Amino acid sequence: MKRQPIQYRNNYNVGLTKQKMHDYIGAIESFTKEIALFYDHRLAYYDRGFSKVQIEDYEGAIEDFTKAIEYFSPYPMAHFQRGMAREILKDYENALEDYSEAIKFEKRNVELYLHRAHLRMEAEDYVGVIEDCNSVIAIDPSYKEVYYHRAQAHNKLNKYNDALEDYSIVIEYFPEFEDGF
């Protein structure tokens, strides 16, 4: 039985440890070494992309998340992270596409719906905002922000009674809630 090279995953594990220590440059170096040994190591690309986001190298992060997706598809969290990087770069159309792709495989992930709802609000797709908010409520009705944002979308669509209903839920059940998307 042939053994794997001793370096296998060691560079990756060093990268993860450096990431936990917030040494993102060191983590990137370790993940790069791992990729040099194993070019199709999807997790190394993913985690290197995550580290690049931390140092605000969003374009580099997008490249790494794309590689992770290329080597392992479907990879919903890589789509999600790439979408977040694209959102920061104001590439809203592709960010929406990434969030939607991630949702196809992670239908119960509230964060995905929230990010997509935020972008849909920015794009004035109020029907889409309501759909995403409804999905979040179906998964977890205690998510207080969703009622507020759904009320805002209802207001934009002149559905004032629906908006008032959502605002009353926020006031009654979540009086400490402060606005924020």
Side-chain angles (χ1 to χ4, degrees), residues 111-159:
E111 291 299 316
L112 298 175
Y113 289 104
L114 291 173
H115 278 274
R116 189 170 72 177
H118 170 73
L119 281 183
R120 285 178 163 177
M121 185 68 86
E122 293 292 320
E124 299 179 2
D125 174 10
Y126 305 119
V127 172
V129 172
I130 291 167
E131 289 171 359
D132 283 342
C133 289
N134 289 341
S135 295
V136 170
I137 291 166
I139 296 165
D140 183 357
S142 69
Y143 234 92
K144 54 191 163 201
E145 302 91 45
V146 176
Y147 296 96
Y148 178 81
H149 297 301
R150 188 172 70 176
Q152 288 182 309
H154 282 307
N155 257 331
K156 296 290 187 178
L157 294 172
N158 300 324
K159 295 182 174 184

